[in-house]
Amino acid sequence: MASTVRTPAAPTRTTGRPKRRWGAMAFGILVLCVMLFPLYWMVNTALQPESGLLEVDPVPHGLDLSGFRSALTDQGGNLLTSLAVALGAVAICLAVSAPAAYGLAQFGLRGTRTIVFGTLITQMVPGIVIANALYSAYVDLGLVNSYAGLMLADASLGIPFAIVLMRSFMVAIPREVIEAAEVDGAGRFRTFVRVVLPMSRNSLITAGLFAFLYAWSDFMFALTLNTTDDVKPITLGIYQYIGAHVGDWGSVMAASVLSAIPAAVLLVLSQKYIAAGITGGSVK
Amino acid sequence: MSTTTAAATAGPAPVTKKAAKPPNPARIRRRRRLAQWGFIAPAVIFMALFFGYPLVRNIVMSFQDYSPSTFFTGESPFNGTDNWSNVFNDELFGKALWHTILFTIGSLIGQFCVGLGLAVFFTRRFPLNGVLRSLILLPWLVPMVVSGVVWRRILDQDTGVLNSFLGTIGLGGDTPWLTSTSMALISVILVNIWIGIPFNMVILYGGLQEVPKELYEAASLDGASAWRTFRSITLPMLRPVITVVLVLGFMSTVKILDLILALTDGGPADSTQTLGTLTYQNSFVQLDFGAGAVVGNILILISAVFAVFYLRANRNEGK
């Protein structure tokens, strides 16, 4: 039995009787229901738009989509803003961190350790501290209330993580492969684009996915680096919504559902990358 | 390290190995090094601007006088340690510090215990195991503000579903979860535990997969009880992962802002004000960036202590 290394379950349990297995499954489903209840409640409330401040029924009676309609009217633009900002942040994040991860993994330059160390440290700087200092700099640079400013700030959420994650992956690329490409006459940059990046596809996807989620979820930079409504992501939109529309929970929840969709879609489409990102980025 | 020496002794690019004598090795090596730094430079510059600069700027700002008019006049004169003494003399700071400690410790203990329990549970083999495990991640992926808003609705004293459920099963049902000064912080902690469980579970589950199965076989041959096995094998083997989980959990909890703003806005009567929200309040609501910077610096200081733990844990992990 010891030869089957990669069985997903602990061996002490492998011979569990069928009855206990079904019992475990039932318990697992119960846990999931408890954990996901708030999300169910979000959808449920969104489908009961006229509830106002009244209690919400446990199940929606029909599909009343007026909450979604008003959420789309009020927040549709903010959703697009979020999408644009998040995609921009992902692009910046990958463009900056992929070459760096490669350089830190393969070149063996003096100072590599210091930079990797510094990268780990930056993950610990509280965001509000960054926002605090960034705001006055942004005022001077004219970056307040701009897409570029928010994209850059949001990219900073993912860059340290992306560098650490991709580097731990690129360290494993055999030097011979890279040298072979260079012997064949490819320049350093071409080798990177044509050989290294394709080989690191999985880590690029994982890093990009997380950069997207970080930027999409960002609330703090959206709140602090914008003083007008010119650039308003959905997170900020919802926050201001509860300030102004406390009575209209249906619309607030519909907007929340819409903002949670990317997370749900990403989870379904790429769960293996997400699990890899949570563990890989933190442990290594 | 070995790569450095290899690169140094092997001379310039591999291409030149074939040539009997490269024209000017030192120059080529220098140019090569320069090209290599080109890959790393953008990231270093970016991080200097978005992490290094704010750290330094924040320290400088904490000795400057900011007021709403600063943004019109552009003047922020130095005022010595005024900001620091103002912040320390404000009783709100002491409160916020205390709330931060309670919030962080309470969240960490809750997240970790439930996360570990679930991680161990999911090492059993049963139908749908993988599906359930990945669906549990959802709360962690949803934007924190959104979670806060949803919970705000659920915890509403009069019309929230939690109270109406508790009322139905005869357990009161009139708890002012978010509107009483004694309950609000507890509620915020509970919601944060809910958010943190998936993260703890996934990492600890990953750690459990790395524990050699032979150890469990040996334990079961020795007739060890489940609890004994857990205490004597699982926990010790999991220690490095536990350190990482706790430190990362700490780092992300201590600075939380979104959740608290969405749930309570720091209220009622500042009962959920933490160092994170206080920084925000000082800087972006009162527009006193000097005071905000002071609280921010203290937040950094606290984080730095734990950063040391993290880096030590990381180093041990790497070896």
Side-chain angles (χ1 to χ4, degrees), chain A residues 88-227:
Chain A
V90 171
I92 297 170
C93 175
L94 291 183
V96 168
S97 36
Y102 173 55
L104 293 173
Q106 292 280 349
F107 293 164
L109 292 167
R110 216 180 303 152
T112 297
R113 277 179 70 98
T114 318
I115 296 175
V116 175
F117 184 79
T119 311
L120 286 169
I121 292 278
T122 57
Q123 282 181 302
M124 278 138 219
V125 183
I128 184 67
V129 171
I130 299 174
N132 215 30
L134 221 48
Y135 179 78
S136 56
Y138 267 30
V139 170
D140 295 340
L141 295 169
L143 282 172
V144 178
N145 303 318
S146 73
Y147 278 90
L150 193 54
M151 282 176 194
L152 283 167
D154 281 355
S156 77
L157 297 170
I159 283 179
F161 170 82
I163 292 178
V164 172
L165 183 85
M166 289 192 281
R167 176 177 173 270
S168 71
F169 190 91
M170 290 174 179
V171 165
I173 297 178
R175 282 188 73 79
E176 294 77 33
V177 174
I178 292 160
E179 279 169 9
E182 286 182 358
V183 169
D184 286 348
R188 232 172 301 281
F189 187 71
R190 263 181 68 119
T191 309
F192 171 66
V193 174
R194 291 286 167 83
V195 179
V196 176
L197 286 187
M199 284 181 79
S200 319
R201 207 180 117 244
N202 279 0
S203 70
L204 274 170
I205 294 176
T206 310
L209 202 67
F210 273 78
F212 183 88
L213 281 172
Y214 287 149
W216 181 272
S217 306
D218 166 64
F219 167 67
M220 199 192 44
F221 286 133
L223 179 69
T224 53
L225 300 179
N226 293 299
T227 52

Side-chain angles (χ1 to χ4, degrees), chain B residues 86-279:
Chain B
N86 285 346
V87 166
F88 287 136
N89 288 329
D90 184 359
E91 64 169 326
L92 189 53
F93 173 75
K95 269 191 182 177
L97 180 62
W98 177 235
H99 295 155
T100 309
I101 294 170
L102 290 178
F103 178 72
T104 309
I105 293 179
S107 300
L108 280 186
I109 292 176
Q111 295 171 354
F112 177 76
C113 291
V114 181
L116 181 60
L118 288 180
V120 171
F121 168 72
F122 276 106
T123 57
R124 286 164 174 250
R125 196 184 267 184
F126 57 85
L128 293 182
N129 181 316
V131 179
L132 297 178
R133 217 169 356 105
S134 59
L135 281 178
I136 274 186
L137 287 177
L138 258 179
W140 189 75
L141 298 172
V142 169
M144 217 182 248
V145 175
V146 174
S147 301
V149 169
V150 172
W151 275 99
R152 187 164 166 162
R153 179 78 186 108
I154 291 173
L155 296 174
D156 189 276
Q157 184 182 359
D158 301 320
T159 63
V161 62
L162 184 58
N163 271 348
S164 70
F165 171 73
L166 291 176
T168 314
I169 62 168
L171 282 173
D174 201 27
T175 314
W177 295 104
L178 294 172
T179 45
S180 87
T181 49
S182 53
M183 277 308 294
L185 187 62
I186 297 174
S187 306
V188 174
I189 292 173
L190 288 176
V191 174
N192 192 45
I193 290 176
W194 172 78
I195 290 178
I197 288 172
F199 173 76
N200 279 263
M201 191 200 83
V202 170
I203 297 195
L204 292 169
Y205 179 83
L208 286 173
Q209 299 303 302
E210 306 284 307
V211 180
K213 312 239 178 310
E214 293 76 23
L215 292 179
Y216 288 112
E217 280 168 21
S220 77
L221 283 179
D222 288 348
S225 69
W227 171 241
R228 182 67 211 263
T229 311
F230 178 75
R231 229 188 44 203
S232 306
I233 296 179
T234 311
L235 277 187
M237 293 300 290
L238 216 51
R239 242 193 67 195
V241 183
I242 290 176
T243 316
V244 170
V245 164
L246 288 180
V247 174
L248 284 175
F250 176 88
M251 314 291 330
S252 57
T253 307
V254 78
K255 62 184 179 191
I256 279 184
L257 184 76
D258 338 23
L259 183 70
I260 298 176
L261 287 184
L263 278 171
T264 61
D265 265 318
D270 292 320
S271 62
T272 52
Q273 203 78 255
T274 60
L275 292 182
T277 59
L278 190 59
T279 310

Side-chain angles (χ1 to χ4, degrees), chain B residues 287-318:
Chain B
L287 294 180
D288 184 351
F289 280 75
V294 171
V295 184
N297 285 332
I298 292 162
L299 201 53
I300 292 177
L301 216 62
I302 297 175
S303 303
V305 173
F306 280 80
V308 174
F309 282 116
Y310 175 73
L311 293 167
R312 283 187 56 181
N314 237 291
R315 204 172 46 202
N316 296 339
E317 190 74 13

Side-chain angles (χ1 to χ4, degrees), chain A residues 6-22:
Chain A
R6 281 276 160 198
T7 38
T12 43
R13 315 281 190 197
T14 44
T15 49
R17 280 159 305 171
K19 229 184 200 170
R20 290 183 56 182
R21 286 193 183 189
W22 291 108

